[in-house]
Amino acid sequence: MLSSVSSDGNYKLAQDPSELFDIYPAPPTAAHFNAIIRPDWGEDFFPEPQPTGEVKKRSQVHKDGDWHRSMHLWVYQSDSANDNVRVLLQRRSPYKDTHPNLLDVSCAGHVNAGDDIVETTMREMEEELGGSGNMKGRYSLEEVKNSRVFTVTSAIEGETEKYGQYTCREYQDVFILKWKEDSPMQSHDFAPMVKEEVSGFEIICGKELISQLRQRDDAFVPRSEQYIDALAKVLGC
């Protein structure tokens, strides 16, 4: 059993409640929650949302339900023999303040105040996937920039034993990168730099992933139908 001191330390390593986030305006209407951002939303939202100028701490943002920004990176490998793709999943740390222990996108992270979305994606890729050095120099900034496929709004409420109730409202920029390796991608190819951030990794076939998400399998972080449809399209599933 973890001591309270050790446990608190692990939670702080998994995320920093004092990190600062830019605050973004809410989508135009409630019908735009959990939706793909499109040109008709207007220039305040497309091609990317514009911050309000307000900055708040992470802990307060999730308490107050403010709109903020995050990135999602899906890493996949073609499986032409089975007319499918293989997708890397991470299992979220038990110390996370949202969705602990659930299977999730290959790599994800919040965008800190003033930071660039593409540079954030590069950094998170190194931190969450590259603990073994396997990500260093594998993808260029331009490759990552060109891999962004859609931006989606996400509004989810939940509760954890440590942090209590939360409301997480995000603009999620979604990136898709093909794994640069001829040999089969393996879960042991990946490791986080800080073990408290990610519990482990799994490989799943793309069609099964989409099916499980559509079925609302409670082993996975839930995604909206709009997100799942867009992901299925770009993965060819």
Side-chain angles (χ1 to χ4, degrees):
M1 181 177 179
L2 293 170
S3 69
S4 59
V5 174
S6 173
S7 178
D8 285 345
N10 287 333
Y11 281 106
K12 289 177 181 177
L13 286 170
Q15 64 265 305
D16 179 2
S18 66
E19 63 183 337
L20 298 176
F21 295 162
D22 286 317
I23 303 304
Y24 288 78
T29 71
H32 294 84
F33 289 18
N34 299 305
I36 305 296
I37 295 180
R38 303 192 185 282
D40 60 5
W41 287 36
E43 61 184 14
D44 287 340
F45 300 95
F46 187 91
E48 56 185 272
Q50 300 301 309
T52 64
E54 184 180 5
V55 174
K56 294 174 71 170
K57 291 182 179 180
R58 176 192 185 113
S59 57
Q60 201 63 39
V61 165
H62 284 163
K63 180 179 179 182
D64 296 344
D66 297 300
W67 286 89
H68 53 294
R69 200 169 179 187
S70 69
M71 50 68 53
H72 287 187
L73 170 63
W74 294 91
V75 178
Y76 78 97
Q77 185 177 48
S78 297
D79 181 11
S80 54
N82 296 301
D83 190 27
N84 208 335
V85 293
R86 304 171 72 245
V87 181
L88 175 68
L89 301 178
Q90 72 161 253
R91 184 171 295 279
R92 292 174 63 81
S93 162
Y95 306 110
K96 283 295 188 181
D97 57 355
T98 61
H99 307 296
N101 297 309
L102 298 188
L103 290 169
D104 199 6
V105 57
S106 313
C107 170
H110 288 95
V111 182
N112 291 338
D115 284 0
D116 176 77
I117 184 69
V118 178
E119 291 177 353
T120 296
T121 303
M122 291 287 288
R123 185 184 66 246
E124 292 291 341
M125 182 169 59
E126 290 273 358
E127 291 179 357
E128 295 194 354
L129 306 181
S132 62
N134 66 325
M135 303 304 292
K136 191 171 183 62
R138 186 176 288 268
Y139 299 99
S140 70
L141 190 68
E142 192 68 17
E143 285 176 311
V144 172
K145 178 181 178 180
N146 293 334
S147 74
R148 180 161 51 175
V149 287
F150 60 88
T151 302
V152 63
T153 57
S154 172
I156 296 179
E157 296 181 354
E159 184 174 3
T160 67
E161 183 177 352
K162 171 71 174 178
Y163 293 98
Q165 293 183 338
Y166 64 83
T167 301
C168 188
R169 293 174 174 154
E170 295 180 340
Y171 291 95
Q172 298 168 341
D173 291 81
V174 181
F175 298 76
I176 306 287
L177 278 177
K178 186 175 182 179
W179 182 239
K180 286 185 173 182
E181 195 78 45
D182 291 333
S183 58
M185 180 171 63
Q186 303 293 338
S187 58
H188 59 69
D189 292 333
F190 306 91
M193 289 185 175
V194 179
K195 61 182 176 59
E196 286 81 4
E197 282 203 79
V198 179
S199 289
F201 298 93
E202 298 184 19
I203 307 292
I204 187 173
C205 74
K207 291 177 182 178
E208 181 181 354
L209 168 64
I210 297 302
S211 175
Q212 299 290 68
L213 290 173
R214 291 198 193 285
Q215 293 173 34
R216 305 296 179 194
D217 188 318
D218 59 11
F220 293 78
V221 174
R223 301 294 171 202
S224 67
E225 285 298 326
Q226 291 85 349
Y227 188 123
I228 300 169
D229 287 346
L231 181 63
K233 182 177 180 179
V234 296
L235 289 177
C237 298

